[in-house]
């Protein structure tokens, strides 16, 4: 191959297989030989190469023309190039989905490279003696990883691969001769998803979503099975097997966080734990989903957007803000900021329903209920939070922070309590509005300061195509379900 064949600009070519990207590489040479930038992170990521974080470089030397290897799909991403000689390459999509079975072929020489995403089967045939085939991978080999390999036969007629050297004249391994045909091939399973805090309100909603949609590869942990705030527990997992971590765990006892014991627990769960998760997710190219709170703000603005500077008033908010900062150090992260969360388990709506029943009971001495009327926001239902999390993951929305609450009007806690009382027993007039300062005037235990305004701007997440349900409609459905049970 002449020198001028190598003199070209760096450019990228998309293929018919999603995520399979071919690069033309500039190669410069003279009578002494040639030089090229084989992999250049900054330039190539600007052209669309995922920042896939390689951890290992492998080289395959092929002594004779006609050596043929594959078709193997391994559980990691590859960046493949040629150091010497040339090869005919064939790639088959073995990931579950609409593109399963798609085939792409091309010839690779030192001026061409290809990025192969996890689950795409890889094969090549040496077209010259002394061919050197080199590739970067972003996970270390392990026995657990090997169990997830999948294969398809080089000679499968349904693939319609036109091998330059007939396979019967090629050099193949015994194992490659016996790989299954495409119709019998096992699709590559996706990387696992870990859910922490699985027994909390959000964790239960995520499990319900997974069950309802028949999703596979999920692993649910609570503090008893994985305390993500304990550094010593991280070595128990082979993190290269995971693609996503959804952190639904947190310390949410807002007032108890103001005590000496609670302060330590809040910082451990809300700051140290997310920092440890962020570090391991960054190291292993894992997407980290984390849930934040309106308490990271001081509530002085009537509507908070994602760019507002943190100004937490109490320990809980301070610990949550610290956790958010830590999570942003993970390149692949989604932070969902919520307020006034309602789901399964103890929450404000269930408490108000119970009090409405007491007020409605002629034999009960409770005459009315005082509820603060100078804090304003919107409810966030955990079902909607779970829907939003999977919307961001499935749509591959841009990484970053997204506000997520119910949509609709901004109301006070007292207004919401009246709505709950009315829908439960028609006795909303028994809710007595009261200022926050007066409500806590006789409190014996420490009380955390609350933001006055907790409403969040939903424009950013709506820009991804997600529409948050009106919280008042969600409240009606929630109460109706509780009353029916």
């Amino acid at each position: 191959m002449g020198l001028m064949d190598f003199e070209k600009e760096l450019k990228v070519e998309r293929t018919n297989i999603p995520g399979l990207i071919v690069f033309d590489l500039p190669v410069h040479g003279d009578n002494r030989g040639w030089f090229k930038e084989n992999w250049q992170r900054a330039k190539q990521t600007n052209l669309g190469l995922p920042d896939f974080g390689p951890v290992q470089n492998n080289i395959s030397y092929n002594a004779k023309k006609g050596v043929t290897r594959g078709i193997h799909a391994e559980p990691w991403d590859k960046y493949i190039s040629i150091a010497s000689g040339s090869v005919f390459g064939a790639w088959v999509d073995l990931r579950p989905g609409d593109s399963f079975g798609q085939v792409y072929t091309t010839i690779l020489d030192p001026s061409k490279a290809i990025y192969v995403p996890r689950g795409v089967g890889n094969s090549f045939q040496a077209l010259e003696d002394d061919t050197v085939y080199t590739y970067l991978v972003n996970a270390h080999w392990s026995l657990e990883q090997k169990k997830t390999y999948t294969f398809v036969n080089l000679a499968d007629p349904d693939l319609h691969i036109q091998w330059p050297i007939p396979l019967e004249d090629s050099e193949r391994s015994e194992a490659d001769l016996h790989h299954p045909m495409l119709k019998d091939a096992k699709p590559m399973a996706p990387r696992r998803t870990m859910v922490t805090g699985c027994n909390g309100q959000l964790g239960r909603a995520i499990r319900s979503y997974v069950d309802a949609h028949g999703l596979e590869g999920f692993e649910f942990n609570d503090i008893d099975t994985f305390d993500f705030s304990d550094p010593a527990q991280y070595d128990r997992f082979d993190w290269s097997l995971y693609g996503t971590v959804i952190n639904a765990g947190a310390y949410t006892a807002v007032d108890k966080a103001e005590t000496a014991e609670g302060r330590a627990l809040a910082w451990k769960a809300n700051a140290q734990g997310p920092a440890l998760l962020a570090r391991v997710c960054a190291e292993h190219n894992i997407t980290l989903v984390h849930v934040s709170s309106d308490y990271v703000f001081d509530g002085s603005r009537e509507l908070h957007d994602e760019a507002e500077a943190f100004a937490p008033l109490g320990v809980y908010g301070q610990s949550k803000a610290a956790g958010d900062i830590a999570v942003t150090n993970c390149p692949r992260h989604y932070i969902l900021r919520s307020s006034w969360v309602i789901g399964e388990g103890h929450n404000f709506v269930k408490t108000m329903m119970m009090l409405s029943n007491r007020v409605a009971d002629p034999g009960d001495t409770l005459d009315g209920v005082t509820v603060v009327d100078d804090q304003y926001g919107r409810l966030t239902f955990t079902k909607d939070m779970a829907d939003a999390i999977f919307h961001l993951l499935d749509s591959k929305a841009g990484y970053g922070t997204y506000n997520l609450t119910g949509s609709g009007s901004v109301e006070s806690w007292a207004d919401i309590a009246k709505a709950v009382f009315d829908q439960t027993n028609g006795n909303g007039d028994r809710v007595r509005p009261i200022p926050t300062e007066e409500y806590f005037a006789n409190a014996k235990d420490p009380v955390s300061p609350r933001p006055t305004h907790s409403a969040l701007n939903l424009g950013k997440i709506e820009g991804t195509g997600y529409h948050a349900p009106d919280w008042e409609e969600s409240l009606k459905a929630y109460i109706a379900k509780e009353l029916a049970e």
Side-chain angles (χ1 to χ4, degrees):
M1 183 173 293
L3 179 63
M4 294 305 297
D5 293 326
F6 291 125
E7 297 290 347
K8 53 189 175 182
E9 294 183 0
L10 175 65
K11 62 181 182 180
V12 66
E13 174 193 345
R14 307 286 173 175
T15 72
N16 59 304
I17 295 179
L20 188 73
I21 306 172
V22 180
F23 287 89
D24 278 329
L25 304 178
V27 180
H28 311 285
D30 55 25
N31 60 322
R32 298 168 298 171
W34 52 260
F35 166 84
K36 65 172 177 172
E37 291 180 340
N38 196 49
W39 170 65
Q40 216 279 11
R41 176 180 173 271
K43 292 178 183 178
Q44 289 178 286
T45 53
N46 285 340
L47 290 176
L49 178 70
D51 200 359
F52 68 112
V55 298
Q56 187 170 323
N57 181 32
N58 302 325
I59 294 176
S60 172
Y61 170 71
N62 305 281
K64 297 294 183 182
K65 175 181 178 179
V67 169
T68 306
R69 301 176 185 267
I71 302 169
H72 312 146
E74 295 115 347
W76 44 65
D77 304 323
K78 289 182 178 181
Y79 175 80
I80 299 167
S81 59
I82 305 301
S84 178
S86 60
V87 304
F88 172 85
W91 293 270
V92 182
D93 198 338
L94 295 178
R95 299 168 296 185
D98 295 339
S99 61
F100 180 82
Q102 287 282 326
V103 178
Y104 176 80
T105 63
T106 194
I107 292 176
L108 298 181
D109 60 32
S111 73
K112 215 167 187 181
I114 190 165
Y115 171 75
V116 184
R118 179 186 186 278
V120 173
N122 181 80
S123 63
F124 67 89
Q125 185 175 78
L127 301 180
E128 304 176 37
D129 292 347
D130 298 319
T131 294
V132 180
Y133 179 98
T134 179
Y135 53 101
L136 303 174
V137 296
N138 62 352
H140 297 112
W141 185 94
S142 70
L143 186 58
E144 281 297 307
Q145 292 277 25
K146 184 178 180 181
K147 293 176 182 177
T148 66
Y149 287 16
T150 188
F151 311 92
V152 68
N153 201 290
L154 293 158
D156 187 346
D158 289 339
L159 298 178
H160 305 291
I161 298 173
Q162 303 298 311
W163 297 100
I165 300 168
L167 289 177
E168 57 269 23
D169 299 329
S170 69
E171 185 73 28
R172 290 172 286 169
S173 72
E174 189 66 23
D176 286 351
L177 292 172
H178 299 290
H179 290 328
M181 299 299 174
L182 183 65
K183 63 182 179 62
D184 299 316
K186 179 181 68 173
M188 170 70 70
R191 293 171 77 186
R192 299 175 189 172
T193 297
M194 176 186 286
V195 180
T196 64
C198 67
N199 293 326
Q201 291 192 84
L202 177 58
R204 296 182 203 179
I206 292 169
R207 189 190 291 268
S208 295
Y209 184 101
V210 169
D211 292 343
H213 291 80
L215 303 182
E216 298 180 352
F218 278 73
E219 180 180 298
F220 294 92
N221 285 291
D222 207 22
I223 192 169
D224 293 338
T225 55
F226 174 44
D227 180 357
F228 64 88
S229 65
D230 180 0
Q233 296 202 22
Y234 280 74
D235 289 342
R236 295 166 40 209
F237 301 92
D238 180 353
W239 291 102
S240 63
L241 299 172
Y242 296 86
T244 304
V245 171
I246 302 175
N247 179 28
Y251 182 89
T252 58
V254 173
D255 292 325
K256 288 183 180 179
E258 298 294 325
T259 67
E261 180 184 7
R263 181 180 295 109
L265 293 173
W267 276 89
K268 185 180 181 190
N270 296 342
Q272 178 170 311
L276 293 170
L277 285 175
R279 183 176 67 184
V280 78
C281 288
E283 289 175 352
H284 295 274
N285 298 295
I286 297 170
T287 298
L288 175 58
V289 181
H290 179 70
V291 177
S292 181
S293 167
D294 59 298
Y295 273 68
V296 302
F297 304 126
D298 62 9
S300 58
R301 297 186 188 180
E302 290 190 2
L303 192 64
H304 305 281
D305 62 30
E306 290 84 354
E308 183 177 341
F310 294 152
L313 299 173
V315 172
Y316 168 74
Q318 293 160 8
S319 67
K320 290 298 290 183
D324 286 10
I325 293 169
V327 168
T328 60
N329 288 309
C330 174
R332 303 180 183 189
H333 74 269
Y334 294 109
I335 297 175
L336 269 77
R337 181 160 294 126
S338 62
S339 67
W340 299 10
V341 175
I342 306 296
E344 291 187 43
H346 177 72
N347 61 63
F348 177 80
V349 173
K350 285 187 177 180
T351 299
M352 292 301 107
M353 291 180 70
M354 180 270 293
L355 292 173
S356 173
N357 288 334
R358 284 189 58 189
V359 169
D361 183 355
D364 197 292
T365 58
L366 186 65
D367 180 50
V369 175
T370 56
V371 182
V372 296
D373 67 347
D374 55 356
Q375 297 173 33
Y376 307 94
R378 294 183 289 220
L379 297 180
T380 308
F381 286 86
T382 55
K383 177 184 180 301
D384 299 337
M385 294 175 69
D387 289 346
I389 287 170
F390 286 99
H391 165 78
L392 293 174
L393 291 170
D394 295 342
S395 67
K396 295 180 171 57
Y399 296 119
T401 300
Y402 293 85
N403 290 337
L404 188 281
T405 68
S407 61
S409 63
V410 176
E411 305 287 352
S412 71
W413 281 119
D415 294 327
I416 295 171
K418 289 178 182 179
V420 176
F421 270 57
D422 277 336
Q423 292 174 50
T424 306
N425 289 295
N427 55 1
D429 59 337
R430 309 297 283 278
V431 173
R432 298 171 182 171
I434 187 173
T436 300
E437 184 177 357
E438 185 178 342
Y439 182 86
F440 289 113
N442 298 316
K444 296 180 181 179
D445 296 320
V447 175
S448 173
R450 266 76 167 166
T452 298
H453 299 285
S454 293
L456 306 178
N457 188 321
L458 303 178
K460 183 177 179 181
I461 197 166
E462 288 174 346
T464 70
Y466 180 83
H467 176 68
D470 188 305
W471 68 264
E472 293 184 79
E473 296 302 316
S474 298
L475 177 63
K476 291 176 184 177
Y478 184 90
I479 293 173
K481 182 175 180 292
E482 289 295 318
L483 291 174
E485 291 180 351

